[in-house]
Amino acid sequence: MPEKSGGNPEKLWGGRFSESTDREVEMFTQSISFDRALWQQDIKGSRAHAAMLLKVHLLTEEEEHLIQEGLSRIEKEIKDEIFPFRDEYEDIHMNIEKRLFELVGTPAQKIHTARSRNDQVALDLRLYVIDRSREMAGLLAEFVRVLIGQSRRMREILLPGYTHLQQAQPISAGYYFMAHAERLLRDRRRFLEVDRGLTLSPLGSGALAGTTLPIDRESVARQLGFSGVTGNGLDAVSDRDFVADFLHAAVMLSLHLSGWAEEWILWSTREFGFVRIPDRYMTGSSMMPQKRNPDVLELIRGKTGRVIGHYMGLATILKGLPLSYNRDLQEDKEHLFDAAETIRQSVTLFMRIAGESVLDEDRLRQALSGDELLATDMAEDLVRGGIPFREAHAIVGRIVARCERDRRKLASLTDEELHEFSPAFPKGYASALTPENSVRRRDLPGGPAPERVEERIREIERELDGR
Ligand code: ARG
């Protein structure tokens, strides 16, 4: 090995050492087993860094050319899965630099000029979070469009809306699907915010406080798509706020999916029977032949624990860290990577389940047939007749109690019967008391009347189209 590294020639940092590293230590400190996920970002960063070094004459054209070529070969080796990852080389940064030396020789020894792994990993991680945030924003936009499709297709289907898991007021399936869409839309905005927040390049921060060499930070930053450079190296090498921001967005998304998963796990039971999830998304039991289980939804609900755990894990790593870079920060990655992959899988599958499942109209109609969920409408109609709302509430409460006792429906009450409770009910009142009318009449912004749902859908479409 022609590399002049000193006492521990295996290592890029071996010069001041007098013996080789303990094997257990190597295994303990390595991150290559997981941070290889950063290979694309690392190569992208090195390409931009090399181009800048050429610009400021710290590399010759020949050297820069060889480095770029070597990086292309490395890129191909990793894609073809023949890259020789070695845990003695600790992490993705040193694996790539070592390989670059094997491939192009001496010029590779200049790639790390005016750079530290501290600003290198700070950059790679930012690029990674930008990529994954955009990917999530894209997936969530797709998901919202799927829900818009379902909402329009099922606008006529009515179902009970719930609070406290008790029937509350009738709504339409169109309105229901858009409620989930609103949540996912907020999640999408959160991921877009994480991306938009990452505008500054940390490259040039060096290990913590820059370099004496005449580098051009702005030009690398621009080449990498940033609009500027970070303002303080000490902060920039240790800032992982954006990882926490991404994980927070991941947690919120997971909470939304897990609540919905719970809802559909219930809705797919024989007891509810509101939704029919296609067989391809269900699993069977090894013992009970009749079973058809919603395991995918259960796992989406369960994996939420994992994602929340990753947020807690990261926050615990960051807690109490003195400035600036500390090796603890290497532990940020598995939390980030696993959370990103988990939400990607959960969203992809839930989007398909949501788009391909059908609501059982008969079951929903049956569920609506006990018509106490029209009681609020009755009270509001008394208000129209001049009765104060509190009094109207009490009157209808008594009507509901009577109907419950007599096993009658509200809509079956005659004018005479209604007048016993209040003379304010107009003639033929009960016959207009239907879930259809109830939904149609709640015609206000944010309400379930079909035109209002459509109005909101158009607004959301404009947002998704970036108009
Ligand atoms: N693998 C390291 C990490 O993920 C890279 C930075 C190492 N820096 C250092 N000074 N040891 O944080």
Side-chain angles (χ1 to χ4, degrees), residues 31 35 90-91 93 117-118 121 325 327 329-330 333:
S31 53
D35 71 7
E90 251 178 76
D91 55 25
H93 323 295
R117 276 184 297 151
N118 296 354
V121 74
Y325 179 84
R327 191 62 177 265
L329 291 175
Q330 179 166 290
K333 289 172 199 62

Side-chain angles (χ1 to χ4, degrees), residues 294-315:
D295 293 36
V296 176
L297 293 177
E298 290 170 309
L299 280 168
I300 289 173
R301 185 177 57 186
K303 282 174 191 286
T304 299
R306 215 175 149 114
V307 176
I308 295 170
H310 289 316
Y311 184 90
M312 292 298 291
L314 178 83

